[in-house]
Short mmCIF file of all heavy atoms in Angstrom, two decimals:
data_model
loop_
_atom_site.label_atom_id
_atom_site.label_comp_id
_atom_site.label_asym_id
_atom_site.label_seq_id
_atom_site.Cartn_x
_atom_site.Cartn_y
_atom_site.Cartn_z
N MET A 1 -14.48 -23.73 -6.48
CA MET A 1 -14.34 -22.37 -6.88
C MET A 1 -12.95 -21.81 -6.58
O MET A 1 -12.52 -21.91 -5.41
CB MET A 1 -15.42 -21.52 -6.20
CG MET A 1 -15.71 -20.23 -6.87
SD MET A 1 -17.22 -19.48 -6.19
CE MET A 1 -16.50 -17.98 -5.64
N SER A 2 -12.28 -21.28 -7.54
CA SER A 2 -10.90 -20.83 -7.32
C SER A 2 -10.79 -19.47 -6.69
O SER A 2 -9.87 -19.19 -5.96
CB SER A 2 -10.15 -20.78 -8.62
OG SER A 2 -10.66 -19.76 -9.45
N GLY A 3 -11.83 -18.61 -6.92
CA GLY A 3 -11.77 -17.28 -6.37
C GLY A 3 -10.96 -16.33 -7.25
O GLY A 3 -10.96 -15.14 -7.00
N THR A 4 -10.36 -16.89 -8.26
CA THR A 4 -9.56 -16.03 -9.17
C THR A 4 -10.47 -15.33 -10.15
O THR A 4 -11.29 -15.95 -10.79
CB THR A 4 -8.52 -16.87 -9.92
OG1 THR A 4 -7.63 -17.45 -9.04
CG2 THR A 4 -7.70 -15.99 -10.86
N THR A 5 -10.32 -14.04 -10.22
CA THR A 5 -11.23 -13.26 -11.09
C THR A 5 -10.48 -12.73 -12.33
O THR A 5 -11.07 -12.10 -13.18
CB THR A 5 -11.86 -12.11 -10.33
OG1 THR A 5 -10.84 -11.34 -9.70
CG2 THR A 5 -12.83 -12.64 -9.30
N ILE A 6 -9.16 -12.93 -12.37
CA ILE A 6 -8.36 -12.42 -13.46
C ILE A 6 -8.20 -13.50 -14.54
O ILE A 6 -7.81 -14.61 -14.16
CB ILE A 6 -7.01 -11.92 -12.97
CG1 ILE A 6 -7.17 -10.86 -11.94
CG2 ILE A 6 -6.19 -11.42 -14.15
CD1 ILE A 6 -5.92 -10.56 -11.18
N ALA A 7 -8.49 -13.19 -15.75
CA ALA A 7 -8.32 -14.19 -16.83
C ALA A 7 -6.91 -14.63 -16.93
O ALA A 7 -5.99 -13.79 -16.83
CB ALA A 7 -8.83 -13.57 -18.14
N PRO A 8 -6.65 -15.94 -17.14
CA PRO A 8 -5.28 -16.47 -17.21
C PRO A 8 -4.47 -15.74 -18.29
O PRO A 8 -3.25 -15.44 -18.09
CB PRO A 8 -5.48 -17.90 -17.53
CG PRO A 8 -6.83 -18.24 -16.96
CD PRO A 8 -7.66 -17.01 -17.19
N TRP A 9 -5.01 -15.51 -19.46
CA TRP A 9 -4.26 -14.82 -20.53
C TRP A 9 -3.80 -13.44 -20.09
O TRP A 9 -2.72 -12.97 -20.43
CB TRP A 9 -5.07 -14.76 -21.83
CG TRP A 9 -6.24 -13.87 -21.72
CD1 TRP A 9 -7.55 -14.27 -21.45
CD2 TRP A 9 -6.31 -12.48 -21.95
NE1 TRP A 9 -8.36 -13.20 -21.43
CE2 TRP A 9 -7.63 -12.05 -21.77
CE3 TRP A 9 -5.35 -11.49 -22.27
CZ2 TRP A 9 -8.02 -10.73 -21.88
CZ3 TRP A 9 -5.79 -10.18 -22.41
CH2 TRP A 9 -7.11 -9.79 -22.22
N LEU A 10 -4.66 -12.76 -19.35
CA LEU A 10 -4.33 -11.44 -18.87
C LEU A 10 -3.21 -11.44 -17.87
O LEU A 10 -2.29 -10.68 -17.87
CB LEU A 10 -5.59 -10.77 -18.30
CG LEU A 10 -5.44 -9.37 -17.77
CD1 LEU A 10 -4.88 -8.39 -18.82
CD2 LEU A 10 -6.76 -8.82 -17.20
N ARG A 11 -3.36 -12.41 -16.92
CA ARG A 11 -2.37 -12.50 -15.86
C ARG A 11 -0.97 -12.83 -16.50
O ARG A 11 0.05 -12.38 -15.95
CB ARG A 11 -2.77 -13.59 -14.88
CG ARG A 11 -1.99 -13.59 -13.60
CD ARG A 11 -2.59 -14.53 -12.64
NE ARG A 11 -2.84 -15.85 -13.16
CZ ARG A 11 -3.92 -16.57 -13.01
NH1 ARG A 11 -4.89 -16.14 -12.22
NH2 ARG A 11 -4.06 -17.73 -13.58
N GLU A 12 -0.96 -13.61 -17.56
CA GLU A 12 0.28 -13.94 -18.17
C GLU A 12 1.08 -12.73 -18.68
O GLU A 12 2.31 -12.72 -18.67
CB GLU A 12 0.02 -14.91 -19.36
CG GLU A 12 -0.01 -16.33 -19.04
CD GLU A 12 1.30 -16.83 -18.44
OE1 GLU A 12 2.31 -16.63 -19.17
OE2 GLU A 12 1.32 -17.33 -17.33
N ILE A 13 0.37 -11.74 -19.19
CA ILE A 13 1.04 -10.59 -19.77
C ILE A 13 1.30 -9.47 -18.83
O ILE A 13 2.02 -8.52 -19.09
CB ILE A 13 0.25 -10.05 -20.99
CG1 ILE A 13 -1.09 -9.55 -20.60
CG2 ILE A 13 0.16 -11.12 -22.07
CD1 ILE A 13 -1.87 -8.85 -21.70
N LEU A 14 0.71 -9.57 -17.63
CA LEU A 14 0.89 -8.52 -16.63
C LEU A 14 2.28 -8.57 -16.05
O LEU A 14 2.81 -9.64 -15.72
CB LEU A 14 -0.13 -8.66 -15.49
CG LEU A 14 -1.61 -8.39 -15.93
CD1 LEU A 14 -2.54 -8.65 -14.78
CD2 LEU A 14 -1.77 -6.99 -16.43
N ARG A 15 2.88 -7.40 -15.81
CA ARG A 15 4.15 -7.31 -15.18
C ARG A 15 4.09 -6.17 -14.10
O ARG A 15 3.33 -5.25 -14.27
CB ARG A 15 5.26 -6.95 -16.19
CG ARG A 15 5.53 -8.08 -17.13
CD ARG A 15 6.15 -9.28 -16.53
NE ARG A 15 6.56 -10.27 -17.52
CZ ARG A 15 5.76 -11.21 -17.98
NH1 ARG A 15 4.51 -11.28 -17.59
NH2 ARG A 15 6.15 -12.06 -18.88
N CYS A 16 4.93 -6.29 -13.17
CA CYS A 16 5.01 -5.21 -12.17
C CYS A 16 5.50 -3.91 -12.86
O CYS A 16 6.54 -3.96 -13.56
CB CYS A 16 6.01 -5.61 -11.11
SG CYS A 16 6.35 -4.31 -9.88
N PRO A 17 4.74 -2.82 -12.72
CA PRO A 17 5.13 -1.57 -13.42
C PRO A 17 6.43 -0.96 -12.81
O PRO A 17 7.05 -0.13 -13.39
CB PRO A 17 3.92 -0.65 -13.23
CG PRO A 17 3.20 -1.19 -12.02
CD PRO A 17 3.51 -2.70 -12.00
N ALA A 18 6.77 -1.37 -11.61
CA ALA A 18 7.93 -0.80 -10.93
C ALA A 18 9.23 -1.51 -11.44
O ALA A 18 10.29 -0.86 -11.61
CB ALA A 18 7.82 -0.89 -9.43
N CYS A 19 9.18 -2.83 -11.62
CA CYS A 19 10.44 -3.57 -11.87
C CYS A 19 10.28 -4.57 -13.02
O CYS A 19 11.29 -5.22 -13.36
CB CYS A 19 10.92 -4.28 -10.59
SG CYS A 19 9.88 -5.66 -10.16
N ARG A 20 9.10 -4.73 -13.57
CA ARG A 20 8.84 -5.60 -14.71
C ARG A 20 8.92 -7.14 -14.38
O ARG A 20 9.08 -7.93 -15.30
CB ARG A 20 9.80 -5.31 -15.87
CG ARG A 20 9.59 -3.86 -16.41
CD ARG A 20 8.28 -3.75 -17.12
NE ARG A 20 7.92 -2.33 -17.27
CZ ARG A 20 6.69 -1.89 -17.61
NH1 ARG A 20 5.79 -2.77 -17.83
NH2 ARG A 20 6.43 -0.65 -17.73
N ALA A 21 8.92 -7.42 -13.12
CA ALA A 21 8.90 -8.82 -12.77
C ALA A 21 7.48 -9.35 -12.93
O ALA A 21 6.53 -8.61 -13.10
CB ALA A 21 9.32 -9.00 -11.31
N ARG A 22 7.34 -10.68 -12.93
CA ARG A 22 6.04 -11.30 -13.00
C ARG A 22 5.26 -11.08 -11.72
O ARG A 22 5.84 -10.77 -10.67
CB ARG A 22 6.17 -12.81 -13.34
CG ARG A 22 6.79 -13.08 -14.64
CD ARG A 22 6.95 -14.54 -14.84
NE ARG A 22 5.70 -15.22 -14.98
CZ ARG A 22 5.18 -15.54 -16.17
NH1 ARG A 22 5.79 -15.23 -17.28
NH2 ARG A 22 4.01 -16.10 -16.29
N LEU A 23 3.93 -11.26 -11.80
CA LEU A 23 3.10 -11.09 -10.67
C LEU A 23 2.37 -12.41 -10.33
O LEU A 23 2.11 -13.22 -11.20
CB LEU A 23 1.99 -10.04 -10.99
CG LEU A 23 2.56 -8.65 -11.32
CD1 LEU A 23 1.48 -7.82 -11.98
CD2 LEU A 23 3.08 -7.96 -10.08
N ARG A 24 2.11 -12.66 -9.04
CA ARG A 24 1.35 -13.80 -8.67
C ARG A 24 0.11 -13.41 -7.90
O ARG A 24 0.07 -12.39 -7.23
CB ARG A 24 2.25 -14.73 -7.82
CG ARG A 24 2.53 -14.24 -6.43
CD ARG A 24 3.22 -15.25 -5.58
NE ARG A 24 3.33 -14.77 -4.16
CZ ARG A 24 4.37 -14.05 -3.73
NH1 ARG A 24 5.33 -13.74 -4.52
NH2 ARG A 24 4.35 -13.59 -2.48
N ASP A 25 -0.90 -14.27 -7.97
CA ASP A 25 -2.14 -14.02 -7.25
C ASP A 25 -2.01 -14.32 -5.76
O ASP A 25 -1.38 -15.30 -5.39
CB ASP A 25 -3.24 -15.00 -7.80
CG ASP A 25 -3.81 -14.52 -9.09
OD1 ASP A 25 -3.80 -13.28 -9.32
OD2 ASP A 25 -4.25 -15.31 -9.89
N GLU A 26 -2.59 -13.47 -4.98
CA GLU A 26 -2.69 -13.76 -3.56
C GLU A 26 -4.07 -13.34 -3.03
O GLU A 26 -4.69 -12.38 -3.60
CB GLU A 26 -1.62 -12.98 -2.79
CG GLU A 26 -0.23 -13.51 -3.04
CD GLU A 26 0.65 -13.55 -1.75
OE1 GLU A 26 0.26 -12.87 -0.83
OE2 GLU A 26 1.65 -14.22 -1.80
N GLY A 27 -4.51 -13.99 -2.00
CA GLY A 27 -5.76 -13.62 -1.41
C GLY A 27 -6.94 -14.11 -2.28
O GLY A 27 -6.83 -15.09 -3.00
N GLY A 28 -8.04 -13.40 -2.21
CA GLY A 28 -9.19 -13.79 -3.01
C GLY A 28 -10.09 -14.77 -2.28
O GLY A 28 -11.10 -15.16 -2.83
N GLY A 29 -9.71 -15.19 -1.05
CA GLY A 29 -10.50 -16.11 -0.34
C GLY A 29 -10.60 -15.69 1.12
O GLY A 29 -9.85 -14.82 1.57
N GLN A 30 -11.54 -16.33 1.87
CA GLN A 30 -11.65 -16.00 3.32
C GLN A 30 -11.84 -14.54 3.61
O GLN A 30 -11.35 -14.00 4.59
CB GLN A 30 -10.39 -16.53 4.10
CG GLN A 30 -10.12 -18.03 3.88
CD GLN A 30 -11.11 -18.91 4.49
OE1 GLN A 30 -11.72 -18.63 5.47
NE2 GLN A 30 -11.40 -20.07 3.86
N GLY A 31 -12.46 -13.82 2.66
CA GLY A 31 -12.71 -12.41 2.87
C GLY A 31 -11.53 -11.54 2.64
O GLY A 31 -11.65 -10.31 2.79
N ARG A 32 -10.43 -12.13 2.25
CA ARG A 32 -9.25 -11.30 1.98
C ARG A 32 -9.37 -10.70 0.58
O ARG A 32 -9.84 -11.45 -0.30
CB ARG A 32 -7.95 -12.11 2.09
CG ARG A 32 -7.64 -12.60 3.49
CD ARG A 32 -6.36 -13.40 3.49
NE ARG A 32 -5.28 -12.63 2.91
CZ ARG A 32 -4.26 -13.18 2.27
NH1 ARG A 32 -4.17 -14.52 2.12
NH2 ARG A 32 -3.28 -12.46 1.78
N PRO A 33 -8.93 -9.51 0.39
CA PRO A 33 -8.99 -8.92 -0.95
C PRO A 33 -7.94 -9.61 -1.86
O PRO A 33 -6.89 -9.97 -1.38
CB PRO A 33 -8.66 -7.46 -0.72
CG PRO A 33 -7.87 -7.44 0.55
CD PRO A 33 -8.39 -8.59 1.41
N GLU A 34 -8.37 -9.82 -3.10
CA GLU A 34 -7.40 -10.39 -4.06
C GLU A 34 -6.35 -9.35 -4.39
O GLU A 34 -6.65 -8.17 -4.56
CB GLU A 34 -8.17 -10.79 -5.32
CG GLU A 34 -7.23 -11.49 -6.28
CD GLU A 34 -8.01 -12.02 -7.49
OE1 GLU A 34 -9.20 -11.79 -7.61
OE2 GLU A 34 -7.36 -12.72 -8.31
N GLU A 35 -5.15 -9.79 -4.51
CA GLU A 35 -4.02 -8.91 -4.86
C GLU A 35 -3.12 -9.58 -5.86
O GLU A 35 -3.04 -10.85 -5.91
CB GLU A 35 -3.20 -8.53 -3.62
CG GLU A 35 -3.93 -7.64 -2.67
CD GLU A 35 -3.04 -7.31 -1.49
OE1 GLU A 35 -2.30 -8.18 -0.98
OE2 GLU A 35 -3.03 -6.17 -1.00
N LEU A 36 -2.41 -8.81 -6.64
CA LEU A 36 -1.35 -9.31 -7.48
C LEU A 36 -0.06 -8.82 -6.79
O LEU A 36 0.19 -7.65 -6.63
CB LEU A 36 -1.42 -8.77 -8.89
CG LEU A 36 -2.55 -9.38 -9.74
CD1 LEU A 36 -2.54 -8.75 -11.10
CD2 LEU A 36 -2.41 -10.89 -9.86
N VAL A 37 0.82 -9.79 -6.47
CA VAL A 37 2.05 -9.51 -5.73
C VAL A 37 3.23 -9.70 -6.67
O VAL A 37 3.37 -10.78 -7.32
CB VAL A 37 2.16 -10.38 -4.49
CG1 VAL A 37 3.40 -10.03 -3.73
CG2 VAL A 37 0.96 -10.18 -3.59
N CYS A 38 4.12 -8.74 -6.67
CA CYS A 38 5.34 -8.82 -7.47
C CYS A 38 6.20 -9.99 -6.95
O CYS A 38 6.37 -10.16 -5.78
CB CYS A 38 6.06 -7.49 -7.36
SG CYS A 38 7.60 -7.47 -8.21
N THR A 39 6.76 -10.75 -7.94
CA THR A 39 7.55 -11.89 -7.51
C THR A 39 9.02 -11.52 -7.23
O THR A 39 9.80 -12.40 -6.86
CB THR A 39 7.52 -12.98 -8.63
OG1 THR A 39 7.97 -12.40 -9.83
CG2 THR A 39 6.13 -13.52 -8.76
N SER A 40 9.39 -10.31 -7.47
CA SER A 40 10.74 -9.86 -7.16
C SER A 40 10.96 -9.68 -5.63
O SER A 40 10.15 -9.01 -5.01
CB SER A 40 11.03 -8.54 -7.87
OG SER A 40 12.20 -7.96 -7.36
N GLY A 41 12.01 -10.33 -5.17
CA GLY A 41 12.25 -10.23 -3.71
C GLY A 41 12.58 -8.83 -3.23
O GLY A 41 12.35 -8.46 -2.11
N GLU A 42 13.18 -8.07 -4.15
CA GLU A 42 13.57 -6.70 -3.79
C GLU A 42 12.46 -5.69 -3.89
O GLU A 42 12.53 -4.64 -3.30
CB GLU A 42 14.76 -6.25 -4.69
CG GLU A 42 15.99 -7.05 -4.51
CD GLU A 42 17.11 -6.59 -5.42
OE1 GLU A 42 17.00 -5.53 -5.99
OE2 GLU A 42 18.10 -7.36 -5.51
N CYS A 43 11.45 -6.03 -4.72
CA CYS A 43 10.37 -5.09 -4.98
C CYS A 43 9.19 -5.54 -4.08
O CYS A 43 8.89 -4.90 -3.03
CB CYS A 43 9.99 -5.14 -6.44
SG CYS A 43 8.56 -4.10 -6.82
N GLY A 44 8.44 -6.56 -4.47
CA GLY A 44 7.42 -7.16 -3.63
C GLY A 44 6.17 -6.37 -3.42
O GLY A 44 5.39 -6.60 -2.53
N LEU A 45 5.94 -5.37 -4.29
CA LEU A 45 4.75 -4.58 -4.17
C LEU A 45 3.49 -5.42 -4.45
O LEU A 45 3.53 -6.32 -5.25
CB LEU A 45 4.80 -3.37 -5.22
CG LEU A 45 5.85 -2.31 -4.90
CD1 LEU A 45 5.82 -1.31 -6.07
CD2 LEU A 45 5.58 -1.62 -3.58
N ALA A 46 2.42 -5.06 -3.73
CA ALA A 46 1.18 -5.77 -3.93
C ALA A 46 0.11 -4.82 -4.49
O ALA A 46 -0.13 -3.73 -3.96
CB ALA A 46 0.69 -6.31 -2.56
N TYR A 47 -0.49 -5.27 -5.60
CA TYR A 47 -1.48 -4.40 -6.30
C TYR A 47 -2.88 -5.01 -6.06
O TYR A 47 -3.10 -6.16 -6.24
CB TYR A 47 -1.16 -4.38 -7.76
CG TYR A 47 0.22 -3.87 -8.07
CD1 TYR A 47 1.32 -4.78 -8.16
CD2 TYR A 47 0.50 -2.49 -8.21
CE1 TYR A 47 2.61 -4.30 -8.37
CE2 TYR A 47 1.77 -2.04 -8.40
CZ TYR A 47 2.81 -2.91 -8.52
OH TYR A 47 4.05 -2.45 -8.67
N ARG A 48 -3.77 -4.16 -5.73
CA ARG A 48 -5.13 -4.60 -5.48
C ARG A 48 -5.86 -4.85 -6.78
O ARG A 48 -5.49 -4.38 -7.84
CB ARG A 48 -5.92 -3.65 -4.60
CG ARG A 48 -6.34 -2.35 -5.30
CD ARG A 48 -7.12 -1.45 -4.34
NE ARG A 48 -7.68 -0.33 -4.99
CZ ARG A 48 -7.04 0.78 -5.29
NH1 ARG A 48 -5.77 0.90 -4.93
NH2 ARG A 48 -7.63 1.83 -5.91
N VAL A 49 -6.95 -5.63 -6.72
CA VAL A 49 -7.73 -5.97 -7.88
C VAL A 49 -9.16 -5.46 -7.59
O VAL A 49 -9.77 -5.82 -6.59
CB VAL A 49 -7.75 -7.49 -8.14
CG1 VAL A 49 -8.62 -7.83 -9.32
CG2 VAL A 49 -6.33 -7.96 -8.35
N GLU A 50 -9.69 -4.63 -8.49
CA GLU A 50 -11.05 -4.12 -8.29
C GLU A 50 -11.91 -4.67 -9.45
O GLU A 50 -11.65 -4.34 -10.61
CB GLU A 50 -11.03 -2.59 -8.35
CG GLU A 50 -10.35 -1.99 -7.14
CD GLU A 50 -10.49 -0.48 -7.10
OE1 GLU A 50 -10.88 0.11 -8.13
OE2 GLU A 50 -10.20 0.13 -6.04
N ASP A 51 -12.92 -5.43 -9.07
CA ASP A 51 -13.87 -5.99 -10.07
C ASP A 51 -13.13 -6.73 -11.18
O ASP A 51 -13.50 -6.62 -12.35
CB ASP A 51 -14.73 -4.87 -10.64
CG ASP A 51 -15.54 -4.15 -9.58
OD1 ASP A 51 -15.98 -4.86 -8.65
OD2 ASP A 51 -15.81 -2.98 -9.70
N GLY A 52 -12.08 -7.43 -10.78
CA GLY A 52 -11.37 -8.23 -11.77
C GLY A 52 -10.30 -7.51 -12.52
O GLY A 52 -9.62 -8.02 -13.43
N ILE A 53 -10.20 -6.19 -12.27
CA ILE A 53 -9.24 -5.31 -12.97
C ILE A 53 -8.06 -5.01 -12.04
O ILE A 53 -8.24 -4.32 -11.04
CB ILE A 53 -9.85 -4.01 -13.45
CG1 ILE A 53 -11.18 -4.29 -14.20
CG2 ILE A 53 -8.87 -3.22 -14.31
CD1 ILE A 53 -11.02 -4.92 -15.50
N PRO A 54 -6.86 -5.47 -12.34
CA PRO A 54 -5.73 -5.16 -11.48
C PRO A 54 -5.38 -3.67 -11.58
O PRO A 54 -5.34 -3.09 -12.66
CB PRO A 54 -4.57 -5.98 -12.05
CG PRO A 54 -5.20 -6.94 -13.02
CD PRO A 54 -6.46 -6.32 -13.50
N VAL A 55 -5.14 -3.05 -10.43
CA VAL A 55 -4.76 -1.66 -10.38
C VAL A 55 -3.23 -1.60 -10.29
O VAL A 55 -2.65 -1.65 -9.21
CB VAL A 55 -5.36 -0.95 -9.19
CG1 VAL A 55 -5.03 0.53 -9.19
CG2 VAL A 55 -6.90 -1.13 -9.20
N LEU A 56 -2.60 -1.55 -11.48
CA LEU A 56 -1.12 -1.62 -11.51
C LEU A 56 -0.49 -0.26 -11.51
O LEU A 56 0.09 0.22 -12.45
CB LEU A 56 -0.69 -2.37 -12.78
CG LEU A 56 -1.14 -3.87 -12.77
CD1 LEU A 56 -0.63 -4.51 -14.05
CD2 LEU A 56 -0.66 -4.62 -11.56
N LEU A 57 -0.69 0.40 -10.33
CA LEU A 57 -0.13 1.72 -10.17
C LEU A 57 0.81 1.70 -8.97
O LEU A 57 0.39 1.26 -7.90
CB LEU A 57 -1.30 2.74 -9.88
CG LEU A 57 -2.30 2.95 -11.03
CD1 LEU A 57 -3.44 3.80 -10.53
CD2 LEU A 57 -1.66 3.51 -12.27
N VAL A 58 2.05 2.12 -9.15
CA VAL A 58 3.04 2.03 -8.13
C VAL A 58 2.58 2.86 -6.91
O VAL A 58 2.74 2.50 -5.80
CB VAL A 58 4.38 2.47 -8.63
CG1 VAL A 58 5.41 2.56 -7.47
CG2 VAL A 58 4.91 1.56 -9.71
N ASP A 59 2.00 4.03 -7.18
CA ASP A 59 1.57 4.89 -6.10
C ASP A 59 0.45 4.30 -5.30
O ASP A 59 0.26 4.63 -4.14
CB ASP A 59 1.02 6.23 -6.67
CG ASP A 59 2.16 7.13 -7.24
OD1 ASP A 59 3.32 6.79 -6.89
OD2 ASP A 59 1.86 8.05 -7.92
N GLU A 60 -0.33 3.36 -5.89
CA GLU A 60 -1.46 2.73 -5.21
C GLU A 60 -1.08 1.40 -4.58
O GLU A 60 -1.83 0.80 -3.85
CB GLU A 60 -2.62 2.48 -6.16
CG GLU A 60 -3.12 3.72 -6.90
CD GLU A 60 -4.26 4.39 -6.10
OE1 GLU A 60 -5.08 3.62 -5.57
OE2 GLU A 60 -4.33 5.61 -6.08
N ALA A 61 0.09 0.90 -4.85
CA ALA A 61 0.50 -0.41 -4.41
C ALA A 61 0.74 -0.44 -2.89
O ALA A 61 1.13 0.59 -2.27
CB ALA A 61 1.72 -0.86 -5.16
N ARG A 62 0.55 -1.62 -2.35
CA ARG A 62 0.83 -1.82 -0.92
C ARG A 62 2.28 -2.26 -0.78
O ARG A 62 2.72 -3.16 -1.46
CB ARG A 62 -0.11 -2.87 -0.30
CG ARG A 62 0.07 -3.14 1.12
CD ARG A 62 -1.08 -4.02 1.66
NE ARG A 62 -1.07 -5.36 1.05
CZ ARG A 62 -0.22 -6.30 1.32
NH1 ARG A 62 0.71 -6.15 2.25
NH2 ARG A 62 -0.29 -7.47 0.71
N ARG A 63 2.99 -1.59 0.12
CA ARG A 63 4.42 -2.00 0.32
C ARG A 63 4.51 -3.25 1.15
O ARG A 63 3.71 -3.47 2.03
CB ARG A 63 5.14 -0.87 1.03
CG ARG A 63 4.94 0.50 0.47
CD ARG A 63 5.88 0.70 -0.75
NE ARG A 63 5.31 1.85 -1.57
CZ ARG A 63 5.94 2.22 -2.68
NH1 ARG A 63 7.09 1.67 -3.08
NH2 ARG A 63 5.41 3.19 -3.42
N PRO A 64 5.47 -4.07 0.85
CA PRO A 64 5.67 -5.30 1.62
C PRO A 64 6.10 -5.06 3.08
O PRO A 64 6.63 -4.04 3.41
CB PRO A 64 6.70 -6.08 0.87
CG PRO A 64 7.49 -4.97 0.16
CD PRO A 64 6.54 -3.91 -0.15
ZN1 ZN B 1 8.05 -5.27 -8.71
#
């Protein structure tokens, strides 16, 4: 079981709303919440995922 709840096609088109960089999956196992993390080293915001829906709001993102 991968623990990934986001469809691959959806993840492919998602971009960080702050800087438009790609996002990578983090967490989702060992009781950790799944997050989508910006791949930009300067940005690095982490967006939570609720019921398989990424919350891509800069105001809601976790700062690195
Ligand atoms: Zn970003």
Side-chain angles (χ1 to χ4, degrees):
M1 198 168 121
S2 69
T4 300
T5 53
I6 302 166
W9 66 266
L10 178 58
R11 194 171 49 222
E12 271 299 303
I13 63 173
L14 293 175
R15 293 291 185 275
C16 174
C19 71
R20 298 292 162 192
R22 296 177 69 96
L23 299 165
R24 70 171 188 272
D25 282 330
E26 290 218 344
Q30 306 290 328
R32 292 180 55 208
E34 184 174 5
E35 290 180 320
L36 287 179
V37 181
C38 178
T39 56
S40 167
E42 296 179 12
C43 176
L45 291 176
Y47 302 91
R48 73 179 188 278
V49 178
E50 291 188 347
D51 299 326
I53 310 291
V55 182
L56 296 181
L57 299 173
V58 175
D59 288 346
E60 302 268 323
R62 183 171 60 77
R63 309 279 159 179

